[in-house]
Amino acid sequence: MAETSLGPFLICYKPSFPFPFSSFFTPSSSSSSSSFSSTRVFITMSSSNVTNNKQQQVEQPSLLVFSGGTAFNGIVEELKKLTTRVAHVLPVSDDGGSTAEIVRVLGGPAVGDIRSRCLRLSDESTSEALAVRRLLGHRLPLDALEAKAEWYNIVEGEHSLWIGVSRPYRETIRAFLAYFQNQILRRSSESFCFSNGSIGNFFFAGARIFFQSLDAAIFLFSRVSDIPSESLVLPVISTNDRLTLGCELWDGTIIRGQNEISHPTGGSLQPINKEHASVPTLPSRIKRIFYMSSEGRNLLHEVFPTVNPSVLEQLSKVDCIVYAMGSLFTSVCPSLKVLC
């Protein structure tokens, strides 16, 4: 494992990899972990790929990346210059921010990390693509009343964020935003808070509930944001159920919820700045990570979900597996847990 200014990461090449290229990631000397702009990526072709002194095109390498939804995002843009044949495997146990509010009111798996990666992979080559990306990447104000007012303005198609979005795209996106709103209104016993809400999360949740399929929602989001067809975003567990991450400390303490493990808030609903957050240390070292039922509080409520078959399929045929930077216990381990 290499410790760099970008955080820890490990790349494991499969023994059968034919190695038509060699790549070198050279981190900058800067202490900032939020930028990859000064990182250089080199691809050198082997002599077997040179005929009559003419360099031939080399097939892009295929990768599978285990990561969370935040730390690796800074690498995605640079990685696309190396290859677009990447399967991004992400956990569905995030319970922070607007994701937590969606799960609280509507249930289902967390979509925040998946939405975040899809957005980073989305097309930026046209003005409309940028407009769609801007819309789905928008967050509502922190003030609850202002957030609700802006949300209604967006759903009704009157917000300036719709400028540059053609009618077919506009009607498709609005349909699922409206469906999401309809689902909220049907839960009359629950009051939904739009504070700091992600429009992309709301669109994603509306699509998942409409299709009753997380995979179908990812497919739709991928097409709307025009992600390269060879780039895959895979939930490590394909489910419509709510999943909760738990951990057991060496002193016997049980902690429920991904956010309380990685960024303990003591019940505060304030958004967390994950780049500069200063949080108290846990009372003891982490012994293990596990999944628990949505209402579970102790080890008696441990559950054992099965891995997404698409992840196993990709693992069997990619050239390279990447264990990316991110929170070890709440980003990488939740995915590896179901593979054990």
Side-chain angles (χ1 to χ4, degrees), residues 177-221:
L177 293 180
Y179 188 79
F180 173 78
Q181 173 67 16
N182 176 262
Q183 293 300 302
I184 291 174
L185 294 177
R186 291 179 62 185
R187 272 73 170 180
S188 57
S189 61
E190 298 286 351
S191 177
F192 190 90
C193 180
F194 290 97
S195 175
N196 200 43
S198 163
I199 301 303
N201 280 358
F202 298 161
F203 172 79
F204 211 118
R208 183 197 63 77
I209 298 171
F210 178 82
F211 292 115
Q212 286 297 295
S213 167
L214 181 58
D215 294 327
I218 294 173
F219 177 82
L220 176 66
F221 198 107

Side-chain angles (χ1 to χ4, degrees), residues 90-93 108-112 114-115 118 204-205 207-222 233-241 243 308:
L90 295 159
V92 288
S93 51
V111 298
I114 293 174
R115 182 271 313 163
C118 284
F204 211 118
R208 183 197 63 77
I209 298 171
F210 178 82
F211 292 115
Q212 286 297 295
S213 167
L214 181 58
D215 294 327
I218 294 173
F219 177 82
L220 176 66
F221 198 107
S222 298
V233 178
L234 302 174
V236 69
I237 303 166
S238 184
T239 179
N240 273 321
D241 298 326
L243 286 174
N308 183 352

